[in-house]
Amino acid sequence: MNQHARRNKMTTDWRPVAYGLCVAWQAIVVAPPAAGGESRSADGWQVLFDVETLKGWQPVFENGSLSVREGTIVVGDAVTNHLLVYFKNNRQKPHPNHGPAVSVVVGNLLPEEGGLAKTNPSPLSSPFGVDFDSRGNMVIIELAGGRIHRRNTTGKLSLVAGDGTADYTGDGGPASNATFNGMHNVAVTPNDDIYIADSWNHCIRKIDGKTGIITTIAGTGQAGDSGDGGSAKLATFNFVMCITLNATNDRLFVADLRNRRIRAVDLKQGTVHRIAGNGSKGVPEDGAVAVDSPLVDPRAVAVDSKDQVYILERGGHALRVVTPDGKIRTVAGTGQKGYRDGPALQAQLSSPKHLCVDAEDNVIIADDQNRAIRKFDAKDRTLTTILGRGIGTPPVQLNRPHGVCIEQGKLYVVDTANDRILRLD
């Protein structure tokens, strides 16, 4: 491969911001090539790509445009250290180091990702969360659309509940007649009961897996902060943003956003208890008692196989954990908004919104403003990007990624603003 990329006293490589035959590029200046044609930037990224036969093609970047003549040009991502793509004869080709294969489960590839210029619109409207029932059917909730869908194993979508109206009706009757307001998350038990974070109705609702009847199992429908130690039905919440089941499916953990608390509903006893947060806003001290500690804004919660409770804070730009002894500590993020992979406590997040735990107790994070899916490795304590920002085949462009879910060893990603659901194969 030709590696003699040179331009006067400097080498400039062009990093793709979007992909396809009409591509926006951002210029990155790197040091002049060393002997042998290799070039390195300050952070050690190697320039190793060439592009042939691009005569007359004119990419546009921040400070104007540059006509690309026939010859060699390098393409890569100096931020993530991942080699991306090269173009030959104006056709995009993936590089072997491009990342995991990505499938579109619902929705479409964008044209700049290799999709068709004209496609049928997605059947989803701002999907926000997914989970799976015992038969492998996907349950999908929408934020703006206000509906719950079921996608069967052959790919057929059917409406379960919601008509798009933002309301709070239908309890005691068939779920098909119910309405919701700002659903953010869903959790399905092995007996196919569907639990819904009906966020702006400040409650948790349940669709019975056998009868299809919908009821409210926690919250009154009114915003408040009460009820710990008592009946979940009589307790009040303030923006139920995330719900997740523990490994034994008998406790439902709740991110009670505006109350700055993590709570748990005992599904057998029908009671609610506090797990973390004293109601004040602040960064908890490492090793402090979780229920006595402040939280910044607990947006999402997930539980691993060891009953460790992970808390994701959007405005806190951090991942925290409550251990079984009730102590809390920060495990990823500096608290400052940014993007950096590496040792977890030195890495940076940008308004992360959702998470899940895989079979090895690693935490998968939907990093919203970074348009990326990140993985916190629970063993080596690192944070890495596994999808987005040029990683993935094809290199999909995430836009407000929210729901993440592991099913049968595969990661599903709800790409909210693109109205689609992706799967890493």
Side-chain angles (χ1 to χ4, degrees):
M1 182 178 291
N2 192 341
Q3 297 177 347
H4 64 274
R6 296 175 184 270
R7 188 169 179 266
N8 298 326
K9 295 182 179 180
M10 295 183 180
T11 296
T12 301
D13 69 70
W14 288 267
R15 175 159 57 95
V17 178
Y19 297 83
L21 293 182
C22 295
V23 180
W25 300 83
Q26 180 180 3
I28 303 171
V29 178
V30 297
E38 183 179 283
S39 176
R40 286 184 180 272
S41 64
D43 63 0
W45 177 71
Q46 276 189 304
V47 176
L48 294 172
F49 285 135
D50 66 351
V51 172
E52 298 174 15
T53 322
L54 288 179
K55 190 173 183 178
W57 201 55
Q58 193 171 28
V60 177
F61 60 98
E62 286 184 351
N63 298 317
S65 63
L66 178 71
S67 295
V68 179
R69 298 182 206 139
E70 186 172 351
T72 300
I73 186 172
V74 294
V75 179
D77 190 335
V79 177
T80 63
N81 294 322
H82 287 279
L83 303 179
L84 302 180
V85 297
Y86 68 92
F87 292 81
K88 185 175 182 180
N89 297 326
N90 287 8
R91 299 190 65 180
Q92 184 176 344
K93 293 180 66 177
H95 188 273
N97 293 339
H98 211 192
V102 182
S103 299
V104 179
V105 178
V106 183
N108 305 294
L109 277 176
L110 304 177
E112 55 265 38
E113 298 166 343
L116 299 175
K118 292 184 178 181
T119 60
N120 293 324
S122 171
L124 303 178
S125 177
S126 294
F128 242 56
V130 297
D131 203 357
F132 290 80
D133 66 19
S134 64
R135 297 180 294 276
N137 300 313
M138 178 188 291
V139 179
I140 308 163
I141 60 100
E142 298 175 325
L143 177 69
R147 301 171 296 175
I148 302 174
H149 304 272
R150 180 179 286 111
R151 179 188 182 274
N152 68 16
T153 54
T154 67
K156 181 180 179 181
L157 277 177
S158 58
L159 184 65
V160 175
D163 61 6
T165 303
D167 209 338
Y168 180 33
T169 63
D171 275 4
S176 56
N177 296 332
T179 56
F180 308 88
N181 191 3
M183 293 179 286
H184 272 67
N185 192 222
V186 61
V188 184
T189 62
N191 65 352
D192 295 337
D193 291 338
I194 300 173
Y195 290 91
I196 303 146
D198 197 353
S199 305
W200 300 335
N201 283 326
H202 313 291
C203 66
I204 302 168
R205 301 172 79 180
K206 171 188 170 184
I207 300 175
D208 189 281
K210 294 180 180 178
T211 67
I213 300 298
I214 189 168
T215 56
T216 297
I217 64 106
T220 65
Q222 299 296 317
D225 182 13
S226 66
D228 285 339
S231 168
K233 290 183 178 181
L234 301 178
T236 55
F237 301 80
N238 197 343
F239 275 42
V240 176
M241 298 303 282
C242 177
I243 55 175
T244 188
L245 291 158
N246 63 348
T248 51
N249 297 289
D250 57 0
R251 299 180 82 195
L252 192 65
F253 288 77
V254 184
D256 189 3
L257 178 65
R258 289 193 173 175
N259 287 327
R260 296 189 178 92
R261 304 187 195 277
I262 299 297
R263 303 164 81 177
V265 176
D266 187 312
L267 296 178
K268 294 180 179 179
Q269 302 296 325
T271 54
V272 63
H273 303 275
R274 186 154 47 100
I275 302 299
N278 62 10
S280 299
K281 183 176 182 178
V283 177
E285 294 184 6
D286 284 350
V289 176
V291 295
D292 297 331
S293 298
L295 294 171
V296 178
D297 59 347
R299 178 67 186 237
V301 60
V303 189
D304 72 7
S305 65
K306 303 178 183 68
D307 287 329
Q308 297 188 120
V309 181
Y310 285 95
I311 303 168
L312 191 64
E313 298 209 284
R314 181 181 182 181
H317 311 293
L319 177 68
R320 315 192 200 280
V321 67
V322 178
T323 49
D325 62 0
K327 303 295 180 63
I328 191 170
R329 71 178 189 277
T330 300
V331 294
T334 64
Q336 298 298 313
K337 183 177 182 178
Y339 176 74
R340 183 190 301 131
D341 282 336
L345 289 174
Q346 299 172 31
Q348 289 182 309
L349 298 158
S350 185
S351 300
K353 292 172 70 173
H354 193 60
L355 78 169
C356 67
V357 178
D358 69 15
E360 297 177 346
D361 284 340
N362 300 312
V363 182
I364 310 300
I365 299 169
D367 193 359
D368 180 25
Q369 294 301 298
N370 278 324
R371 300 188 176 208
I373 305 300
R374 319 283 291 278
K375 182 174 82 168
F376 168 70
D377 190 300
K379 292 180 180 178
D380 66 19
R381 304 286 169 173
T382 57
L383 193 69
T384 57
T385 301
I386 60 173
L387 184 67
R389 299 179 72 95
I391 300 172
T393 306
V396 294
Q397 297 179 30
L398 301 176
N399 191 355
R400 292 178 55 215
H402 189 269
V404 284
C405 177
I406 301 288
E407 172 68 10
Q408 298 295 316
K410 295 188 181 295
L411 174 62
Y412 291 79
V413 176
V414 181
D415 191 11
T416 298
N418 285 324
D419 290 328
R420 63 184 180 180
I421 298 171
L422 310 174
R423 182 182 65 229
L424 272 65
D425 294 319

